[in-house]
Amino acid sequence: MIPGSKPVPILIERRLPRLMKRNVGPTIGHPTRWNHALEKRYPVGMKGRSVILGLLILALGSACDTTLRDQSRITMTDSKGRRFVFLKDFQMQGRAVGLGLETGTGKWQKLGMTGAEWYMKPPAMVRPATAVAVSPDGLDALYACSDHAVLGSWGDLVMFLYDSELNKFYSTGQLYDQSPFSCIGKDDALNPVDVNSWETVISTPVKGAPWKVESIRQGLKHPNVGVRSLTRRWLSMAQGKKFRA
């Protein structure tokens, strides 16, 4: 104990919330006000206050991070027996989603993450109509694109893709350089939400659209009859409009 200071009660964590509410008010995030509030009630010196404050912030951050990380642990197993997990990392400074590969019981190798703040329309990929795994809230989903690719989506606009043959992870922004039909198989039905979103944007082009007409044109050679028909429709709609070449 620091000389001249009062002992800090063991149950300090029970008193801190009331202390902050009473002395800090709406500026609870201000470290100076936190220190003043702590000093007023528990004069343990600068080092003591810093330790208490640091431990409190660390505990709060860890609690939030654990809760949000674990709320979605949907998994899928591909045709080769590999098990993938949908990862979420929603910390105070940002949000990200991605994919992990099971390497052992309860162990995962992170394959890649993408920022969950991307809200550009249309979605980077047209998803298959049916997902392999979906979270209870319907936001997180995993799709099998082929024997070597997995597509993940958070909501309708944040997406990522992992190609195991190339061992490459594509973030949301990188997917706009790929064909929007990259995850559609020969006999797959198309997700109507994604199709409608693409058609809305193509009929009313927005300056700075992230996708390319050339990316759409790749669908003309797709083995899926529906994709080839839809590609011709979209190219017809895009004629005479300014998009990325």
Side-chain angles (χ1 to χ4, degrees):
M1 186 172 66
I2 300 174
S5 65
K6 297 180 181 179
V8 179
I10 296 177
L11 299 180
I12 187 173
E13 68 275 8
R14 295 185 180 178
R15 301 186 182 186
L16 281 176
R18 295 196 298 273
L19 172 67
M20 293 171 192
K21 184 176 182 182
R22 181 168 62 251
N23 293 296
V24 181
T27 57
I28 192 171
H30 197 291
T32 303
R33 294 290 297 277
W34 278 36
N35 278 334
H36 288 171
L38 288 170
E39 182 179 25
K40 183 177 179 181
R41 186 64 178 269
Y42 304 113
V44 296
M46 180 60 73
K47 285 187 177 180
R49 292 198 303 275
S50 299
V51 170
I52 295 171
L53 182 59
L55 291 174
L56 177 64
I57 293 175
L58 181 62
L60 290 174
S62 298
C64 294
D65 186 37
T66 300
T67 301
L68 292 169
R69 281 174 187 256
D70 293 341
Q71 71 180 11
S72 172
R73 281 293 184 182
I74 61 172
T75 63
M76 65 165 281
T77 303
D78 68 6
S79 60
K80 296 183 179 180
R82 294 170 297 196
R83 191 163 179 240
F84 297 92
V85 62
F86 191 106
L87 302 177
K88 295 173 79 170
D89 192 355
F90 286 13
Q91 300 185 44
M92 290 182 175
Q93 66 269 31
R95 299 186 291 181
V97 296
L99 193 68
L101 175 65
E102 185 179 41
T103 57
T105 304
K107 297 181 180 180
W108 306 93
Q109 173 192 350
K110 184 185 295 184
L111 299 174
M113 303 291 287
T114 186
E117 305 295 345
W118 192 284
Y119 295 110
M120 181 73 76
K121 290 186 177 182
M125 293 274 134
V126 175
R127 295 166 292 182
T130 305
V132 175
V134 183
S135 63
D137 60 10
L139 287 176
D140 318 318
L142 292 174
Y143 302 81
C145 301
S146 62
D147 289 338
H148 57 84
V150 176
L151 177 71
S153 65
W154 182 66
D156 291 329
L157 298 178
V158 178
M159 298 184 183
F160 57 84
L161 184 140
Y162 175 71
D163 188 321
S164 60
E165 277 193 347
L166 301 176
N167 191 26
K168 184 171 183 179
F169 180 89
Y170 297 86
S171 63
T172 301
Q174 294 172 323
L175 288 179
Y176 283 100
D177 289 329
Q178 311 299 315
S179 166
F181 307 112
S182 296
C183 195
I184 302 298
K186 179 180 178 180
D187 301 315
D188 287 343
L190 281 61
N191 186 307
V193 173
D194 298 343
V195 172
N196 291 337
S197 183
W198 270 90
E199 294 198 348
T200 298
V201 174
I202 292 175
S203 60
T204 311
V206 179
K207 185 178 181 181
W211 52 275
K212 303 177 181 179
V213 172
E214 186 56 40
S215 297
I216 297 177
R217 191 171 286 118
Q218 295 178 38
L220 292 174
K221 300 179 181 180
H222 201 284
N224 188 302
V225 176
V227 167
R228 296 198 300 270
S229 175
L230 188 61
T231 299
R232 289 192 291 269
R233 171 181 166 80
W234 286 1
L235 291 175
S236 177
M237 292 170 63
Q239 281 186 356
K241 297 174 182 176
K242 293 183 179 180
F243 298 98
R244 287 175 64 188

